[in-house]
Amino acid sequence: MDWIIKTLHSSPELAIFLTLALGFAIGQIKIKGFGLGSVTGVLLMGVLVGQLGLDISPTVKSTFFLIFLFAVGYSVGPQFIHNLKKEGLPQIAFATIICVLCLGVTYAAAKVAGFDVGNAAGLLAGANTISAVIGVATDSINNLPMDAAQKQANINQIPVAYAVTYIFGTAGTAWFLSVLAPKLLGGNIVEQSKEYEQKLGGAITDDDPSLEYAYDGTTFRVVEADNEFFRTPRSVKEVEEMLLTKGWPIYVERIRNAQNEIIKDPEDSQLISKGDKIVLNGPIESLLPDEDFIGKEVVDLELLDFRSEALNVMVSNKEMVGTSLGDLKSRKERHGVIIRKIHRGSTEVPLLKEVTLERGDLVEIEGRKSDVDRFAKILGYAERPTTASDLLYVGLGIFLGGLLGSLTLRISNVPLSLSASGGVLILGILFGWLRSTHPTFGAIPQPAIWLMNNLGLNIFIAVVGITAGPNFVEGLKASGLSLFLAGVVVSLVPMIAGVYLGKYVFKFHNAITLGACAGSRVTTAALGAIQDATQSKVPALSYTTTYAVGNTLLIIWGVVIVLLMS
């Protein structure tokens, strides 16, 4: 043990990775479905390792935090900027009001409780589950006109307040929005969500499957046309239209006729006679019952000898923006292609008829390679699988963001600045938006985004915990109970206001109100709980836009709360 401790003192960078490993292990433990999560786990393990009195360069912390902030901005940029239009303004306005309430309630609670600037910043970060505030507030405190010892004392209090308030900020908010809020809104939230799904083209009866499930996966089957429907020859178009009345699109991909000829790309006018074998392409949930309207399944490996492909496509064609999924099914260019999923930022949106495409959406499609390639050109830009990230784009964005954040305006001897972290966030948003409008450059694969987010944030948090470790326990003893109670107030008051604001002022549907509340507070755990409570993915429709706004404003509030409290 002595050897390990000496090694950590001589190579403190190893302590960071020890903290990461222990923190993720603790964060994965769940009791009755609830766990601390990786960030809180890493912070607590950092505090524990920090009792060894290790000295880690602050440059390490700053570097990884800037990487994290750029990834956050890059991810939310398309939704944040593209929704600055008429259709997205109500949700943007809602999220902005909620974020202002989060800041106002935090400031009021800190003043009433007599907290210093460090506790106030940690309260904002933990109660509103926005970990990035720790770094932004730290940068802002370092810019204040106070002595170094006082700055460090305030900075050390931020992780203390964060750790005390984060647990209720996450679990308490999820409980309120999934259990209590639906009761405040009134009515049966499950029935209300199903009714809203119907308006968006969702399921009404068992023989009218919703797009959400019918599009989830595709398969190819060979079926012999021996149904009475083929007593007289039928065209491909007639067969597909007949199948469409039974459910969601099924396509005729190939035909083997009586002369044993294989027709690889049949036209709409191509006739199918009784006894012909045809390859049907469609979602398994629709294809299995629809086979009965054609005939019986047979084995014909030669007829199935063609390539199929699953591909992610970014919606960048402005003509496709605003197109509903219901309209897409009738477009000739989409023939033979199944839509499996649509990701809007980090959220999967429900696949219902009246849901519309937005610029920057990532659409997962599947079908024959020729069909997929044709449809991908209509949607926008095909995201071919790659492991390469455009590090020129990343490096330039962080550098320019840092320059922007370094600009300082002094008012009454008070320095006003975004700080390097705020500037990098803004440039990340701009660069993410540019990528969605010009997708030929600036590619960062999703696994790389995940790594930048998680490794960047958690290494930053690990260093914060290790640095604050020696003073953490004293800070917790001094203000632990008051911080927890203040955290409950800061977490719940904006959410209670949001419930009534969405219902009576913005006139949102109840499920949309719940999703907007979760998004404005950037509480992903709450979204999952809400979807379980509503038995629907409808809340995700309002989560994406409000999440982009909330993630941006709440991080910037890290600068504002420091200025207000100082």
Side-chain angles (χ1 to χ4, degrees), residues 228-439:
E228 285 301 304
F229 178 74
F230 295 98
R231 179 178 296 177
T232 57
R234 302 284 186 171
S235 69
V236 168
K237 184 177 181 181
E238 286 180 300
V239 173
E240 291 181 345
E241 288 179 345
M242 181 271 290
L243 293 175
L244 185 58
T245 65
K246 309 299 180 183
W248 283 99
I250 302 293
Y251 303 105
V252 176
E253 296 289 0
R254 284 186 169 189
I255 303 171
R256 186 191 290 275
N257 60 24
Q259 291 74 41
N260 207 33
E261 297 173 332
I262 295 179
I263 303 168
K264 295 183 177 180
D265 294 293
E267 301 287 340
D268 286 349
S269 59
Q270 176 68 46
L271 294 178
I272 301 174
S273 302
K274 195 168 185 178
D276 288 353
K277 297 177 182 178
I278 60 178
V279 176
L280 297 180
N281 163 24
I284 190 68
E285 292 86 351
S286 294
L287 191 55
L288 290 176
D290 282 358
E291 287 178 2
D292 296 336
F293 298 104
I294 303 295
K296 61 183 179 180
E297 184 178 359
V298 296
V299 177
D300 192 329
L301 298 181
E302 184 183 5
L303 201 55
L304 288 173
D305 186 18
F306 57 85
R307 292 180 62 189
S308 64
E309 183 178 26
L311 186 66
N312 289 327
V313 183
M314 178 184 291
V315 178
S316 58
N317 182 355
K318 63 181 181 180
E319 295 180 0
M320 298 304 297
V321 175
T323 302
S324 71
L325 298 187
D327 291 338
L328 273 182
K329 72 176 184 178
S330 60
R331 291 186 69 102
K332 182 178 180 181
E333 299 89 351
R334 211 217 72 187
H335 186 277
V337 177
I338 302 300
I339 297 177
R340 298 183 63 184
K341 294 178 181 178
I342 297 178
H343 289 277
R344 189 164 294 161
S346 58
T347 306
E348 183 181 335
V349 299
L351 299 178
L352 300 170
K353 295 178 189 176
E354 299 305 317
V355 170
T356 57
L357 296 178
E358 294 184 7
R359 187 183 292 272
D361 284 352
L362 202 61
V363 183
E364 184 179 335
I365 61 178
E366 185 176 6
R368 286 195 310 166
K369 188 178 187 308
S370 57
D371 293 333
V372 165
D373 290 345
R374 180 186 64 246
F375 188 48
K377 292 179 181 178
I378 298 299
L379 288 178
Y381 184 78
E383 293 274 9
R384 301 289 177 181
T386 179
T387 57
S389 295
D390 191 342
L391 292 182
L392 168 63
Y393 201 63
V394 175
L396 185 63
I398 294 175
F399 172 71
L400 293 178
L403 291 182
L404 174 65
S406 67
L407 300 176
T408 302
L409 174 65
R410 289 187 173 271
I411 298 178
S412 298
N413 203 34
V414 176
L416 300 179
S417 169
L418 285 173
S419 74
S421 50
V424 169
L425 175 66
I426 299 300
L427 262 291
I429 290 172
L430 178 61
F431 274 39
W433 169 72
L434 286 173
R435 160 68 178 162
S436 70
T437 56
H438 301 87

Side-chain angles (χ1 to χ4, degrees), residues 469-520:
N471 303 307
F472 189 91
V473 176
E474 288 77 5
L476 187 62
K477 289 178 180 178
S479 52
L481 180 59
S482 58
L483 277 170
F484 178 80
L485 295 177
V488 172
V489 172
V490 173
S491 294
L492 292 185
V493 169
M495 294 295 92
I496 295 172
V499 167
Y500 293 109
L501 191 67
K503 184 177 180 67
Y504 295 110
V505 177
F506 288 90
K507 309 291 185 183
F508 292 153
H509 184 275
N510 287 348
I512 295 296
T513 294
L514 295 175
C517 285
S520 301

Side-chain angles (χ1 to χ4, degrees), residues 24 71 75 444-458:
F24 270 78
S75 299
I444 308 177
Q446 282 302 314
I449 290 289
W450 184 93
L451 187 65
M452 290 169 68
N453 267 304
N454 284 273
L455 193 62
L457 176 61
N458 282 290

Side-chain angles (χ1 to χ4, degrees), residues 140-269:
S140 299
I141 291 174
N142 279 323
N143 289 329
L144 292 178
M146 61 175 65
D147 62 72
Q150 190 177 3
K151 287 181 181 179
Q152 193 58 50
N154 280 300
I155 290 171
N156 287 341
Q157 278 302 118
I158 297 177
V160 176
Y162 172 85
V164 172
T165 56
Y166 178 83
I167 295 176
F168 186 87
T170 301
T173 301
W175 167 81
F176 173 79
L177 290 177
S178 62
V179 176
L180 190 56
K183 296 178 181 178
L184 297 178
L185 289 168
N188 187 316
I189 192 64
V190 175
E191 292 180 0
Q192 292 168 355
S193 299
K194 296 304 176 185
E195 290 172 1
Y196 194 74
E197 282 185 2
Q198 292 172 17
K199 292 180 181 179
L200 293 175
I204 299 176
T205 61
D206 291 339
D207 59 357
D208 180 21
S210 77
L211 196 59
E212 179 177 358
Y213 301 107
Y215 270 176
D216 190 14
T218 184
T219 189
F220 298 89
R221 302 273 181 138
V222 180
V223 180
E224 184 177 337
D226 62 0
N227 191 287
E228 285 301 304
F229 178 74
F230 295 98
R231 179 178 296 177
T232 57
R234 302 284 186 171
S235 69
V236 168
K237 184 177 181 181
E238 286 180 300
V239 173
E240 291 181 345
E241 288 179 345
M242 181 271 290
L243 293 175
L244 185 58
T245 65
K246 309 299 180 183
W248 283 99
I250 302 293
Y251 303 105
V252 176
E253 296 289 0
R254 284 186 169 189
I255 303 171
R256 186 191 290 275
N257 60 24
Q259 291 74 41
N260 207 33
E261 297 173 332
I262 295 179
I263 303 168
K264 295 183 177 180
D265 294 293
E267 301 287 340
D268 286 349
S269 59

Side-chain angles (χ1 to χ4, degrees), residues 55-199:
D55 184 23
I56 297 178
S57 169
T59 304
V60 175
K61 178 178 65 174
S62 300
T63 300
F64 280 93
F65 187 61
L66 294 181
I67 292 173
F68 160 72
L69 283 178
F70 182 83
V72 169
Y74 183 92
S75 299
V76 305
Q79 287 73 45
F80 184 85
I81 295 181
H82 291 312
N83 281 292
L84 295 176
K85 55 187 179 182
K86 185 177 180 181
E87 295 82 357
L89 288 180
Q91 291 185 16
I92 289 175
F94 176 89
T96 301
I97 293 172
I98 295 301
C99 289
V100 170
L101 280 173
C102 290
L103 175 64
V105 174
T106 302
Y107 177 69
K111 281 295 186 181
V112 170
F115 293 155
D116 59 22
V117 62
N119 277 318
L123 173 63
L124 176 69
N128 294 294
T129 63
I130 188 76
S131 309
V133 164
I134 298 175
V136 176
T138 298
D139 286 349
S140 299
I141 291 174
N142 279 323
N143 289 329
L144 292 178
M146 61 175 65
D147 62 72
Q150 190 177 3
K151 287 181 181 179
Q152 193 58 50
N154 280 300
I155 290 171
N156 287 341
Q157 278 302 118
I158 297 177
V160 176
Y162 172 85
V164 172
T165 56
Y166 178 83
I167 295 176
F168 186 87
T170 301
T173 301
W175 167 81
F176 173 79
L177 290 177
S178 62
V179 176
L180 190 56
K183 296 178 181 178
L184 297 178
L185 289 168
N188 187 316
I189 192 64
V190 175
E191 292 180 0
Q192 292 168 355
S193 299
K194 296 304 176 185
E195 290 172 1
Y196 194 74
E197 282 185 2
Q198 292 172 17
K199 292 180 181 179

